[in-house]
Amino acid sequence: MTGDFRLMGVVNVTPDSFSDGGRFIEPSAAVAHGLRLAGEGATILDIGGESTRPGADSVPADEELRRVLPVIEELARELQPSRARLSIDTSKAAVARAALDAGASYVNDVTAFRGDPAMAGLVAERDVECCLMHMLGEPRTMQDDPRYDDVVSDVKAFLERRLAVAVGEGVPEERVTLDPGIGFGKTLPQNLELLRRLDEIAAIGRPVLVGTSRKSFLGKLTGRAVDDRLAGTIATNVLAYARGASVFRVHDVAPLRDALTVAAATVAAPWTSPTAMTRS
Ligand code: HH2
């Protein structure tokens, strides 16, 4: 397999996530799901205890911790870090700190360190990797008529500013991945514009993560319900790969691994067979 991309498998330990809410609320179900995604090729498991779907209310830290900690503890026991690292999907430093103590080694913050003033310092002190994502407003209101001068330039400028803040707080630049935040305060045309011009975000010089998996803009384009958006998810991730993304946050790891392996082999030249058997 060509290895210049990473798959982040989604493990939502929530009652209300937009695509799989309630399915993995039992710790044993979430752990089994995480192990399955790691077996399918996810090298990062993103464990979240708070939905960020449009309209979602925030969850208190103690409830978020009650959901995610047993899952992280058990996955840390079961998985070697060389197989898959554990990411905590949170914007609260108290939740991130406890998750890092329990075995996580990656912080995915959809507020790009704006949600909690202690988050950047924590990531710096623990010397872990992080993802900083663009979001306009907050989940409760972000889809209420989002407006930009130029969505790509605005998101790019925001990510550059947040990267500078993180570095200023002591986070090494090499630890930071950037994410345009597909679906977070964006209309359908704005999401498509970001994907079309993703190379401009990649030009910042940090790895780019995209999360298009099963999102509603795919439903708007195809008319498909949330469980039936795999084809749209594959199309957008392959296009994002071609435009410079390298980390892909997805619910369906196995098909994305195949799609991105083929995309990577096609984009990289010249291709050599791993088995030297090249019949057709
Ligand atoms: N999308 C979701 C959650 N976290 N993190 C990053 N970095 N990028 C994303 O695009 C992203 C994210 C939303 O997806 P999901 O976790 O499936 O839904 P919910 O927020 O309803 O739990």
Side-chain angles (χ1 to χ4, degrees), residues 8 10-12 14 16-20 46 48 50-54 56 89 108-110 131-133 179-184 209-213 215 249 251:
M8 174 185 262
V10 179
V11 181
N12 282 325
T14 58
D16 57 344
S17 286
F18 77 93
S19 79
D20 52 7
D46 193 36
E50 175 177 50
S51 172
T52 51
R53 74 184 192 290
D89 184 355
N108 175 25
D109 184 355
V110 298
C131 177
L132 305 181
M133 194 195 80
D179 179 349
I182 299 297
F184 285 85
L209 182 153
V210 286
T212 66
S213 190
K215 283 187 178 168
R249 184 181 184 279
H251 301 86

PDB file of all heavy atoms in Angstrom, residues 8 10-12 14 16-20 46 48 50-54 56 89 108-110 131-133 179-184 209-213 215 249 251, ligand 1:
ATOM      1  N   MET A   8      -8.021   8.643   9.607  1.00  0.00           N
ATOM      2  CA  MET A   8      -8.475   8.863  10.978  1.00  0.00           C
ATOM      3  C   MET A   8      -9.883   8.271  11.067  1.00  0.00           C
ATOM      4  O   MET A   8     -10.813   8.777  10.426  1.00  0.00           O
ATOM      5  CB  MET A   8      -8.482  10.369  11.270  1.00  0.00           C
ATOM      6  CG  MET A   8      -9.057  10.743  12.608  1.00  0.00           C
ATOM      7  SD  MET A   8      -9.165  12.553  12.804  1.00  0.00           S
ATOM      8  CE  MET A   8      -7.696  12.897  13.752  1.00  0.00           C
ATOM      9  N   VAL A  10     -13.432   7.442  12.793  1.00  0.00           N
ATOM     10  CA  VAL A  10     -14.287   8.175  13.736  1.00  0.00           C
ATOM     11  C   VAL A  10     -14.925   7.210  14.746  1.00  0.00           C
ATOM     12  O   VAL A  10     -15.574   6.235  14.362  1.00  0.00           O
ATOM     13  CB  VAL A  10     -15.421   8.910  12.969  1.00  0.00           C
ATOM     14  CG1 VAL A  10     -16.328   9.659  13.946  1.00  0.00           C
ATOM     15  CG2 VAL A  10     -14.838   9.844  11.921  1.00  0.00           C
ATOM     16  N   VAL A  11     -14.722   7.499  16.027  1.00  0.00           N
ATOM     17  CA  VAL A  11     -15.377   6.730  17.097  1.00  0.00           C
ATOM     18  C   VAL A  11     -16.183   7.726  17.942  1.00  0.00           C
ATOM     19  O   VAL A  11     -15.636   8.414  18.800  1.00  0.00           O
ATOM     20  CB  VAL A  11     -14.331   5.987  17.973  1.00  0.00           C
ATOM     21  CG1 VAL A  11     -15.032   5.172  19.058  1.00  0.00           C
ATOM     22  CG2 VAL A  11     -13.435   5.086  17.122  1.00  0.00           C
ATOM     23  N   ASN A  12     -17.468   7.821  17.648  1.00  0.00           N
ATOM     24  CA  ASN A  12     -18.337   8.776  18.352  1.00  0.00           C
ATOM     25  C   ASN A  12     -19.023   8.094  19.527  1.00  0.00           C
ATOM     26  O   ASN A  12     -19.869   7.215  19.333  1.00  0.00           O
ATOM     27  CB  ASN A  12     -19.411   9.316  17.399  1.00  0.00           C
ATOM     28  CG  ASN A  12     -18.844  10.375  16.466  1.00  0.00           C
ATOM     29  OD1 ASN A  12     -17.980  11.148  16.842  1.00  0.00           O
ATOM     30  ND2 ASN A  12     -19.354  10.403  15.236  1.00  0.00           N
ATOM     31  N   THR A  14     -21.368   9.086  21.568  1.00  0.00           N
ATOM     32  CA  THR A  14     -22.386  10.129  21.795  1.00  0.00           C
ATOM     33  C   THR A  14     -23.768   9.547  21.508  1.00  0.00           C
ATOM     34  O   THR A  14     -23.902   8.615  20.721  1.00  0.00           O
ATOM     35  CB  THR A  14     -22.178  11.301  20.806  1.00  0.00           C
ATOM     36  OG1 THR A  14     -22.249  10.764  19.480  1.00  0.00           O
ATOM     37  CG2 THR A  14     -20.865  12.012  21.006  1.00  0.00           C
ATOM     38  N   ASP A  16     -26.010  11.439  20.028  1.00  0.00           N
ATOM     39  CA  ASP A  16     -26.670  12.332  19.063  1.00  0.00           C
ATOM     40  C   ASP A  16     -25.796  12.749  17.873  1.00  0.00           C
ATOM     41  O   ASP A  16     -26.113  13.752  17.222  1.00  0.00           O
ATOM     42  CB  ASP A  16     -27.145  13.594  19.805  1.00  0.00           C
ATOM     43  CG  ASP A  16     -25.995  14.313  20.514  1.00  0.00           C
ATOM     44  OD1 ASP A  16     -24.923  13.714  20.686  1.00  0.00           O
ATOM     45  OD2 ASP A  16     -26.179  15.476  20.897  1.00  0.00           O
ATOM     46  N   SER A  17     -24.709  12.019  17.584  1.00  0.00           N
ATOM     47  CA  SER A  17     -23.917  12.385  16.401  1.00  0.00           C
ATOM     48  C   SER A  17     -24.768  12.246  15.151  1.00  0.00           C
ATOM     49  O   SER A  17     -25.684  11.417  15.110  1.00  0.00           O
ATOM     50  CB  SER A  17     -22.668  11.501  16.295  1.00  0.00           C
ATOM     51  OG  SER A  17     -21.739  11.910  17.262  1.00  0.00           O
ATOM     52  N   PHE A  18     -24.439  13.044  14.116  1.00  0.00           N
ATOM     53  CA  PHE A  18     -25.385  13.131  12.996  1.00  0.00           C
ATOM     54  C   PHE A  18     -25.505  11.826  12.215  1.00  0.00           C
ATOM     55  O   PHE A  18     -26.528  11.561  11.606  1.00  0.00           O
ATOM     56  CB  PHE A  18     -25.011  14.297  12.066  1.00  0.00           C
ATOM     57  CG  PHE A  18     -23.854  14.015  11.146  1.00  0.00           C
ATOM     58  CD1 PHE A  18     -24.068  13.516   9.869  1.00  0.00           C
ATOM     59  CD2 PHE A  18     -22.551  14.230  11.553  1.00  0.00           C
ATOM     60  CE1 PHE A  18     -23.006  13.247   9.010  1.00  0.00           C
ATOM     61  CE2 PHE A  18     -21.478  13.963  10.707  1.00  0.00           C
ATOM     62  CZ  PHE A  18     -21.709  13.468   9.435  1.00  0.00           C
ATOM     63  N   SER A  19     -24.460  10.993  12.206  1.00  0.00           N
ATOM     64  CA  SER A  19     -24.562   9.797  11.364  1.00  0.00           C
ATOM     65  C   SER A  19     -24.627   8.497  12.155  1.00  0.00           C
ATOM     66  O   SER A  19     -25.135   7.502  11.660  1.00  0.00           O
ATOM     67  CB  SER A  19     -23.392   9.731  10.391  1.00  0.00           C
ATOM     68  OG  SER A  19     -22.249   9.251  11.037  1.00  0.00           O
ATOM     69  N   ASP A  20     -24.082   8.487  13.371  1.00  0.00           N
ATOM     70  CA  ASP A  20     -24.028   7.215  14.102  1.00  0.00           C
ATOM     71  C   ASP A  20     -24.377   7.406  15.577  1.00  0.00           C
ATOM     72  O   ASP A  20     -23.974   6.606  16.425  1.00  0.00           O
ATOM     73  CB  ASP A  20     -22.641   6.577  13.956  1.00  0.00           C
ATOM     74  CG  ASP A  20     -21.514   7.547  14.327  1.00  0.00           C
ATOM     75  OD1 ASP A  20     -21.818   8.662  14.817  1.00  0.00           O
ATOM     76  OD2 ASP A  20     -20.341   7.193  14.130  1.00  0.00           O
ATOM     77  N   ASP A  46     -10.211   8.685  16.255  1.00  0.00           N
ATOM     78  CA  ASP A  46     -10.654   9.974  16.804  1.00  0.00           C
ATOM     79  C   ASP A  46     -11.866   9.733  17.699  1.00  0.00           C
ATOM     80  O   ASP A  46     -12.956   9.458  17.199  1.00  0.00           O
ATOM     81  CB  ASP A  46     -11.005  10.919  15.655  1.00  0.00           C
ATOM     82  CG  ASP A  46     -11.177  12.355  16.116  1.00  0.00           C
ATOM     83  OD1 ASP A  46     -10.438  12.783  17.034  1.00  0.00           O
ATOM     84  OD2 ASP A  46     -12.035  13.059  15.552  1.00  0.00           O
ATOM     85  N   GLY A  48     -14.659  10.869  20.300  1.00  0.00           N
ATOM     86  CA  GLY A  48     -15.366  12.096  20.680  1.00  0.00           C
ATOM     87  C   GLY A  48     -16.569  11.809  21.565  1.00  0.00           C
ATOM     88  O   GLY A  48     -17.283  10.830  21.345  1.00  0.00           O
ATOM     89  N   GLU A  50     -18.730  14.523  22.336  1.00  0.00           N
ATOM     90  CA  GLU A  50     -19.650  15.662  22.158  1.00  0.00           C
ATOM     91  C   GLU A  50     -19.904  15.850  20.667  1.00  0.00           C
ATOM     92  O   GLU A  50     -18.952  16.063  19.900  1.00  0.00           O
ATOM     93  CB  GLU A  50     -19.028  16.938  22.731  1.00  0.00           C
ATOM     94  CG  GLU A  50     -19.864  18.181  22.482  1.00  0.00           C
ATOM     95  CD  GLU A  50     -19.271  19.442  23.117  1.00  0.00           C
ATOM     96  OE1 GLU A  50     -18.076  19.707  22.914  1.00  0.00           O
ATOM     97  OE2 GLU A  50     -20.008  20.135  23.818  1.00  0.00           O
ATOM     98  N   SER A  51     -21.161  15.807  20.275  1.00  0.00           N
ATOM     99  CA  SER A  51     -21.473  16.033  18.862  1.00  0.00           C
ATOM    100  C   SER A  51     -21.250  17.503  18.510  1.00  0.00           C
ATOM    101  O   SER A  51     -21.540  18.392  19.311  1.00  0.00           O
ATOM    102  CB  SER A  51     -22.927  15.667  18.582  1.00  0.00           C
ATOM    103  OG  SER A  51     -23.274  16.071  17.265  1.00  0.00           O
ATOM    104  N   THR A  52     -20.733  17.727  17.296  1.00  0.00           N
ATOM    105  CA  THR A  52     -20.576  19.098  16.804  1.00  0.00           C
ATOM    106  C   THR A  52     -21.471  19.323  15.589  1.00  0.00           C
ATOM    107  O   THR A  52     -21.231  20.222  14.798  1.00  0.00           O
ATOM    108  CB  THR A  52     -19.101  19.368  16.418  1.00  0.00           C
ATOM    109  OG1 THR A  52     -18.661  18.313  15.555  1.00  0.00           O
ATOM    110  CG2 THR A  52     -18.219  19.439  17.638  1.00  0.00           C
ATOM    111  N   ARG A  53     -22.495  18.491  15.446  1.00  0.00           N
ATOM    112  CA  ARG A  53     -23.400  18.656  14.300  1.00  0.00           C
ATOM    113  C   ARG A  53     -24.096  20.016  14.398  1.00  0.00           C
ATOM    114  O   ARG A  53     -24.238  20.565  15.505  1.00  0.00           O
ATOM    115  CB  ARG A  53     -24.442  17.526  14.271  1.00  0.00           C
ATOM    116  CG  ARG A  53     -25.492  17.686  15.324  1.00  0.00           C
ATOM    117  CD  ARG A  53     -26.496  16.553  15.407  1.00  0.00           C
ATOM    118  NE  ARG A  53     -27.605  16.958  16.246  1.00  0.00           N
ATOM    119  CZ  ARG A  53     -27.561  17.142  17.554  1.00  0.00           C
ATOM    120  NH1 ARG A  53     -26.414  16.959  18.207  1.00  0.00           N
ATOM    121  NH2 ARG A  53     -28.620  17.538  18.231  1.00  0.00           N
ATOM    122  N   PRO A  54     -24.550  20.557  13.262  1.00  0.00           N
ATOM    123  CA  PRO A  54     -25.242  21.846  13.320  1.00  0.00           C
ATOM    124  C   PRO A  54     -26.408  21.790  14.308  1.00  0.00           C
ATOM    125  O   PRO A  54     -27.193  20.848  14.304  1.00  0.00           O
ATOM    126  CB  PRO A  54     -25.741  22.040  11.882  1.00  0.00           C
ATOM    127  CG  PRO A  54     -24.787  21.244  11.047  1.00  0.00           C
ATOM    128  CD  PRO A  54     -24.393  20.057  11.883  1.00  0.00           C
ATOM    129  N   ALA A  56     -26.141  21.452  17.563  1.00  0.00           N
ATOM    130  CA  ALA A  56     -25.853  20.704  18.801  1.00  0.00           C
ATOM    131  C   ALA A  56     -25.559  21.645  19.962  1.00  0.00           C
ATOM    132  O   ALA A  56     -24.904  22.673  19.795  1.00  0.00           O
ATOM    133  CB  ALA A  56     -24.655  19.773  18.579  1.00  0.00           C
ATOM    134  N   ASP A  89     -11.220  14.073  20.437  1.00  0.00           N
ATOM    135  CA  ASP A  89     -11.943  15.114  19.694  1.00  0.00           C
ATOM    136  C   ASP A  89     -12.679  15.964  20.723  1.00  0.00           C
ATOM    137  O   ASP A  89     -13.778  15.624  21.163  1.00  0.00           O
ATOM    138  CB  ASP A  89     -12.922  14.424  18.731  1.00  0.00           C
ATOM    139  CG  ASP A  89     -13.655  15.405  17.828  1.00  0.00           C
ATOM    140  OD1 ASP A  89     -13.486  16.626  17.988  1.00  0.00           O
ATOM    141  OD2 ASP A  89     -14.407  14.932  16.951  1.00  0.00           O
ATOM    142  N   ASN A 108      -7.626  16.719  18.692  1.00  0.00           N
ATOM    143  CA  ASN A 108      -8.377  17.250  17.548  1.00  0.00           C
ATOM    144  C   ASN A 108      -9.346  18.288  18.087  1.00  0.00           C
ATOM    145  O   ASN A 108     -10.351  17.948  18.718  1.00  0.00           O
ATOM    146  CB  ASN A 108      -9.122  16.104  16.854  1.00  0.00           C
ATOM    147  CG  ASN A 108     -10.011  16.599  15.729  1.00  0.00           C
ATOM    148  OD1 ASN A 108      -9.762  17.662  15.142  1.00  0.00           O
ATOM    149  ND2 ASN A 108     -11.051  15.842  15.421  1.00  0.00           N
ATOM    150  N   ASP A 109      -9.038  19.561  17.846  1.00  0.00           N
ATOM    151  CA  ASP A 109      -9.832  20.647  18.439  1.00  0.00           C
ATOM    152  C   ASP A 109     -10.536  21.428  17.332  1.00  0.00           C
ATOM    153  O   ASP A 109      -9.905  22.201  16.598  1.00  0.00           O
ATOM    154  CB  ASP A 109      -8.910  21.573  19.249  1.00  0.00           C
ATOM    155  CG  ASP A 109      -9.697  22.671  19.959  1.00  0.00           C
ATOM    156  OD1 ASP A 109     -10.926  22.774  19.743  1.00  0.00           O
ATOM    157  OD2 ASP A 109      -9.075  23.431  20.710  1.00  0.00           O
ATOM    158  N   VAL A 110     -11.864  21.253  17.236  1.00  0.00           N
ATOM    159  CA  VAL A 110     -12.623  21.907  16.158  1.00  0.00           C
ATOM    160  C   VAL A 110     -12.716  23.422  16.362  1.00  0.00           C
ATOM    161  O   VAL A 110     -13.183  24.131  15.479  1.00  0.00           O
ATOM    162  CB  VAL A 110     -14.041  21.307  15.978  1.00  0.00           C
ATOM    163  CG1 VAL A 110     -13.973  19.837  15.575  1.00  0.00           C
ATOM    164  CG2 VAL A 110     -14.900  21.502  17.215  1.00  0.00           C
ATOM    165  N   CYS A 131      -4.744  18.800  15.678  1.00  0.00           N
ATOM    166  CA  CYS A 131      -5.387  19.296  14.473  1.00  0.00           C
ATOM    167  C   CYS A 131      -6.160  20.559  14.835  1.00  0.00           C
ATOM    168  O   CYS A 131      -6.949  20.553  15.787  1.00  0.00           O
ATOM    169  CB  CYS A 131      -6.333  18.242  13.895  1.00  0.00           C
ATOM    170  SG  CYS A 131      -7.220  18.863  12.448  1.00  0.00           S
ATOM    171  N   LEU A 132      -5.926  21.626  14.076  1.00  0.00           N
ATOM    172  CA  LEU A 132      -6.623  22.899  14.270  1.00  0.00           C
ATOM    173  C   LEU A 132      -7.590  23.079  13.102  1.00  0.00           C
ATOM    174  O   LEU A 132      -7.169  23.074  11.940  1.00  0.00           O
ATOM    175  CB  LEU A 132      -5.623  24.056  14.299  1.00  0.00           C
ATOM    176  CG  LEU A 132      -4.496  23.945  15.326  1.00  0.00           C
ATOM    177  CD1 LEU A 132      -3.588  25.171  15.253  1.00  0.00           C
ATOM    178  CD2 LEU A 132      -5.048  23.773  16.741  1.00  0.00           C
ATOM    179  N   MET A 133      -8.874  23.244  13.420  1.00  0.00           N
ATOM    180  CA  MET A 133      -9.904  23.292  12.369  1.00  0.00           C
ATOM    181  C   MET A 133     -10.579  24.650  12.306  1.00  0.00           C
ATOM    182  O   MET A 133     -10.762  25.311  13.320  1.00  0.00           O
ATOM    183  CB  MET A 133     -10.964  22.221  12.673  1.00  0.00           C
ATOM    184  CG  MET A 133     -11.894  21.941  11.511  1.00  0.00           C
ATOM    185  SD  MET A 133     -13.366  21.022  12.000  1.00  0.00           S
ATOM    186  CE  MET A 133     -14.343  22.359  12.686  1.00  0.00           C
ATOM    187  N   ASP A 179      -7.104  22.027   9.137  1.00  0.00           N
ATOM    188  CA  ASP A 179      -8.335  21.454   8.583  1.00  0.00           C
ATOM    189  C   ASP A 179      -9.285  22.603   8.220  1.00  0.00           C
ATOM    190  O   ASP A 179      -9.609  23.431   9.080  1.00  0.00           O
ATOM    191  CB  ASP A 179      -8.948  20.552   9.672  1.00  0.00           C
ATOM    192  CG  ASP A 179     -10.257  19.896   9.261  1.00  0.00           C
ATOM    193  OD1 ASP A 179     -10.828  20.266   8.226  1.00  0.00           O
ATOM    194  OD2 ASP A 179     -10.716  19.013  10.011  1.00  0.00           O
ATOM    195  N   PRO A 180      -9.760  22.659   6.969  1.00  0.00           N
ATOM    196  CA  PRO A 180     -10.670  23.745   6.581  1.00  0.00           C
ATOM    197  C   PRO A 180     -12.062  23.626   7.197  1.00  0.00           C
ATOM    198  O   PRO A 180     -12.866  24.553   7.072  1.00  0.00           O
ATOM    199  CB  PRO A 180     -10.740  23.621   5.053  1.00  0.00           C
ATOM    200  CG  PRO A 180     -10.428  22.194   4.779  1.00  0.00           C
ATOM    201  CD  PRO A 180      -9.440  21.771   5.833  1.00  0.00           C
ATOM    202  N   GLY A 181     -12.374  22.513   7.854  1.00  0.00           N
ATOM    203  CA  GLY A 181     -13.653  22.409   8.560  1.00  0.00           C
ATOM    204  C   GLY A 181     -14.848  22.307   7.620  1.00  0.00           C
ATOM    205  O   GLY A 181     -15.775  23.127   7.678  1.00  0.00           O
ATOM    206  N   ILE A 182     -14.828  21.284   6.787  1.00  0.00           N
ATOM    207  CA  ILE A 182     -15.934  21.103   5.839  1.00  0.00           C
ATOM    208  C   ILE A 182     -17.251  20.922   6.627  1.00  0.00           C
ATOM    209  O   ILE A 182     -17.324  20.100   7.548  1.00  0.00           O
ATOM    210  CB  ILE A 182     -15.665  19.858   4.936  1.00  0.00           C
ATOM    211  CG1 ILE A 182     -14.372  20.036   4.119  1.00  0.00           C
ATOM    212  CG2 ILE A 182     -16.867  19.552   4.036  1.00  0.00           C
ATOM    213  CD1 ILE A 182     -14.373  21.182   3.139  1.00  0.00           C
ATOM    214  N   GLY A 183     -18.244  21.735   6.281  1.00  0.00           N
ATOM    215  CA  GLY A 183     -19.550  21.638   6.945  1.00  0.00           C
ATOM    216  C   GLY A 183     -19.688  22.464   8.213  1.00  0.00           C
ATOM    217  O   GLY A 183     -20.767  22.493   8.808  1.00  0.00           O
ATOM    218  N   PHE A 184     -18.629  23.125   8.636  1.00  0.00           N
ATOM    219  CA  PHE A 184     -18.688  23.911   9.878  1.00  0.00           C
ATOM    220  C   PHE A 184     -18.860  25.394   9.551  1.00  0.00           C
ATOM    221  O   PHE A 184     -17.894  26.140   9.424  1.00  0.00           O
ATOM    222  CB  PHE A 184     -17.423  23.695  10.710  1.00  0.00           C
ATOM    223  CG  PHE A 184     -17.377  22.359  11.413  1.00  0.00           C
ATOM    224  CD1 PHE A 184     -16.901  21.237  10.756  1.00  0.00           C
ATOM    225  CD2 PHE A 184     -17.824  22.230  12.718  1.00  0.00           C
ATOM    226  CE1 PHE A 184     -16.862  19.997  11.395  1.00  0.00           C
ATOM    227  CE2 PHE A 184     -17.798  21.002  13.367  1.00  0.00           C
ATOM    228  CZ  PHE A 184     -17.312  19.879  12.706  1.00  0.00           C
ATOM    229  N   LEU A 209      -5.941  18.021   6.895  1.00  0.00           N
ATOM    230  CA  LEU A 209      -6.941  16.989   7.199  1.00  0.00           C
ATOM    231  C   LEU A 209      -8.269  17.428   6.595  1.00  0.00           C
ATOM    232  O   LEU A 209      -8.606  18.611   6.661  1.00  0.00           O
ATOM    233  CB  LEU A 209      -7.061  16.838   8.722  1.00  0.00           C
ATOM    234  CG  LEU A 209      -8.022  15.787   9.303  1.00  0.00           C
ATOM    235  CD1 LEU A 209      -7.519  15.340  10.685  1.00  0.00           C
ATOM    236  CD2 LEU A 209      -9.453  16.256   9.415  1.00  0.00           C
ATOM    237  N   VAL A 210      -9.004  16.486   6.014  1.00  0.00           N
ATOM    238  CA  VAL A 210     -10.373  16.810   5.602  1.00  0.00           C
ATOM    239  C   VAL A 210     -11.359  15.823   6.212  1.00  0.00           C
ATOM    240  O   VAL A 210     -11.075  14.636   6.353  1.00  0.00           O
ATOM    241  CB  VAL A 210     -10.593  16.835   4.067  1.00  0.00           C
ATOM    242  CG1 VAL A 210      -9.979  18.057   3.430  1.00  0.00           C
ATOM    243  CG2 VAL A 210     -10.138  15.570   3.421  1.00  0.00           C
ATOM    244  N   GLY A 211     -12.515  16.353   6.560  1.00  0.00           N
ATOM    245  CA  GLY A 211     -13.602  15.540   7.097  1.00  0.00           C
ATOM    246  C   GLY A 211     -14.859  15.801   6.298  1.00  0.00           C
ATOM    247  O   GLY A 211     -15.603  16.736   6.581  1.00  0.00           O
ATOM    248  N   THR A 212     -15.064  14.994   5.256  1.00  0.00           N
ATOM    249  CA  THR A 212     -16.295  15.135   4.462  1.00  0.00           C
ATOM    250  C   THR A 212     -17.269  14.001   4.756  1.00  0.00           C
ATOM    251  O   THR A 212     -18.410  14.033   4.297  1.00  0.00           O
ATOM    252  CB  THR A 212     -16.001  15.097   2.942  1.00  0.00           C
ATOM    253  OG1 THR A 212     -15.512  13.793   2.602  1.00  0.00           O
ATOM    254  CG2 THR A 212     -14.990  16.157   2.535  1.00  0.00           C
ATOM    255  N   SER A 213     -16.825  13.009   5.530  1.00  0.00           N
ATOM    256  CA  SER A 213     -17.521  11.727   5.635  1.00  0.00           C
ATOM    257  C   SER A 213     -19.002  11.870   5.978  1.00  0.00           C
ATOM    258  O   SER A 213     -19.363  12.382   7.042  1.00  0.00           O
ATOM    259  CB  SER A 213     -16.810  10.894   6.708  1.00  0.00           C
ATOM    260  OG  SER A 213     -17.283   9.569   6.711  1.00  0.00           O
ATOM    261  N   LYS A 215     -21.280  13.803   5.230  1.00  0.00           N
ATOM    262  CA  LYS A 215     -21.840  15.099   5.635  1.00  0.00           C
ATOM    263  C   LYS A 215     -22.997  15.550   4.748  1.00  0.00           C
ATOM    264  O   LYS A 215     -23.166  15.079   3.618  1.00  0.00           O
ATOM    265  CB  LYS A 215     -20.720  16.150   5.704  1.00  0.00           C
ATOM    266  CG  LYS A 215     -19.908  15.941   6.992  1.00  0.00           C
ATOM    267  CD  LYS A 215     -18.890  16.999   7.272  1.00  0.00           C
ATOM    268  CE  LYS A 215     -18.213  16.676   8.614  1.00  0.00           C
ATOM    269  NZ  LYS A 215     -17.009  17.472   8.851  1.00  0.00           N
ATOM    270  N   ARG A 249     -10.486  12.023   7.718  1.00  0.00           N
ATOM    271  CA  ARG A 249     -11.316  11.632   8.872  1.00  0.00           C
ATOM    272  C   ARG A 249     -12.598  11.005   8.333  1.00  0.00           C
ATOM    273  O   ARG A 249     -13.428  11.702   7.748  1.00  0.00           O
ATOM    274  CB  ARG A 249     -11.613  12.866   9.730  1.00  0.00           C
ATOM    275  CG  ARG A 249     -12.384  12.578  10.994  1.00  0.00           C
ATOM    276  CD  ARG A 249     -12.663  13.849  11.781  1.00  0.00           C
ATOM    277  NE  ARG A 249     -13.326  13.564  13.030  1.00  0.00           N
ATOM    278  CZ  ARG A 249     -14.633  13.333  13.163  1.00  0.00           C
ATOM    279  NH1 ARG A 249     -15.412  13.377  12.109  1.00  0.00           N
ATOM    280  NH2 ARG A 249     -15.144  13.070  14.342  1.00  0.00           N
ATOM    281  N   HIS A 251     -15.783   7.663   8.580  1.00  0.00           N
ATOM    282  CA  HIS A 251     -16.487   6.631   9.335  1.00  0.00           C
ATOM    283  C   HIS A 251     -16.234   5.249   8.737  1.00  0.00           C
ATOM    284  O   HIS A 251     -16.259   4.263   9.453  1.00  0.00           O
ATOM    285  CB  HIS A 251     -18.002   6.898   9.312  1.00  0.00           C
ATOM    286  CG  HIS A 251     -18.394   8.220   9.895  1.00  0.00           C
ATOM    287  ND1 HIS A 251     -18.410   9.385   9.164  1.00  0.00           N
ATOM    288  CD2 HIS A 251     -18.766   8.568  11.150  1.00  0.00           C
ATOM    289  CE1 HIS A 251     -18.797  10.388   9.943  1.00  0.00           C
ATOM    290  NE2 HIS A 251     -19.006   9.921  11.145  1.00  0.00           N
TER     291      HIS A 251
HETATM  292  N1  HH2 B   1     -16.148  16.718  11.671  1.00  0.00           N
HETATM  293  C1  HH2 B   1     -16.893  16.284  12.718  1.00  0.00           C
HETATM  294  C2  HH2 B   1     -16.322  16.175  13.997  1.00  0.00           C
HETATM  295  N2  HH2 B   1     -15.025  16.465  14.210  1.00  0.00           N
HETATM  296  N3  HH2 B   1     -12.927  17.172  13.376  1.00  0.00           N
HETATM  297  C3  HH2 B   1     -12.171  17.612  12.361  1.00  0.00           C
HETATM  298  N4  HH2 B   1     -10.876  17.900  12.554  1.00  0.00           N
HETATM  299  N5  HH2 B   1     -12.676  17.763  11.082  1.00  0.00           N
HETATM  300  C4  HH2 B   1     -13.995  17.494  10.806  1.00  0.00           C
HETATM  301  O1  HH2 B   1     -14.413  17.675   9.637  1.00  0.00           O
HETATM  302  C5  HH2 B   1     -14.826  17.025  11.870  1.00  0.00           C
HETATM  303  C6  HH2 B   1     -14.250  16.883  13.169  1.00  0.00           C
HETATM  304  C7  HH2 B   1     -18.332  15.923  12.497  1.00  0.00           C
HETATM  305  O2  HH2 B   1     -18.488  14.553  12.228  1.00  0.00           O
HETATM  306  P1  HH2 B   1     -18.971  13.455  13.296  1.00  0.00           P
HETATM  307  O3  HH2 B   1     -17.981  13.317  14.398  1.00  0.00           O
HETATM  308  O4  HH2 B   1     -19.293  12.189  12.599  1.00  0.00           O
HETATM  309  O5  HH2 B   1     -20.344  14.025  13.837  1.00  0.00           O
HETATM  310  P2  HH2 B   1     -20.763  14.671  15.216  1.00  0.00           P
HETATM  311  O6  HH2 B   1     -20.004  15.946  15.352  1.00  0.00           O
HETATM  312  O7  HH2 B   1     -22.253  14.874  15.073  1.00  0.00           O
HETATM  313  O8  HH2 B   1     -20.400  13.706  16.322  1.00  0.00           O
END
